[in-house]
Amino acid sequence: MGSDCLFCRIVAGEIPATVVRETDTTLAFRDIDPKAPVHVLVIPKEHYADVATLAQGDPALAADVLATSAAAAEDEGLLGDGFRLMFNTGVYGGQEVFHVHAHLLGGAPLGPMLARNLA
Ligand code: AMP
Ligand code: ZN
């Protein structure tokens, strides 16, 4: 994917980001437009479009993303009061960047799971 993908470019160091955690396979950095006091994005360094593709293509790497998310949650002091971990996926999921990323949100009560009840 490389140069066409914003988050691949962050992995390559071509676009700056505030990195809070890095492993051999994952990167965690602050969202540029935070929606909560803590808003960190956690990605695999390897390009997968979304969480379904990642989980089906490389389950161990999906587990790495979860482990880095948990470690970042601990670093940010979120384990006591809790947090939300979210993968927007596809059109209905509101995904805008098609390099899979977990949104780690916390630092305040986050309200209902969805803004509206769609059921
Ligand atoms: P999504 O709608 O789930 O695809 O989320 C994409 C997220 O990426 C949004 O929360 C954006 O604020 C965030 N974002 C976009 N560009 C950057 C960037 N250069 N650095 C950090 N976060 C970004
Ligand atoms: Zn990418």
Side-chain angles (χ1 to χ4, degrees):
M1 192 70 191
S3 60
D4 287 346
C5 171
L6 176 63
F7 289 173
C8 281
R9 294 189 70 191
I10 286 177
V11 170
E14 295 168 8
I15 292 175
T18 305
V19 172
V20 297
R21 212 165 226 282
E22 181 169 11
T23 69
D24 287 349
T25 58
T26 65
L27 195 67
F29 53 94
R30 296 205 188 280
D31 195 291
I32 204 167
D33 181 18
K35 308 296 191 300
V38 175
H39 189 171
V40 168
L41 302 177
V42 184
I43 67 172
K45 289 181 175 176
E46 190 178 343
H47 183 92
Y48 284 90
D50 59 39
V51 69
T53 315
L54 171 64
Q56 292 174 345
D58 191 341
L61 183 56
D64 288 350
V65 170
L66 286 185
T68 296
S69 300
E74 183 169 32
D75 289 346
E76 300 290 328
L78 303 181
L79 294 189
D81 290 329
F83 58 90
R84 191 168 290 161
L85 193 63
M86 208 170 70
F87 291 91
N88 295 329
T89 305
V91 175
Y92 277 16
Q95 186 176 3
E96 291 177 352
V97 177
F98 285 84
H99 181 133
V100 58
H101 49 282
H103 292 263
L104 172 65
L105 296 154
L110 297 171
M113 186 165 62
L114 296 175
R116 288 180 292 137
N117 185 343
L118 304 171

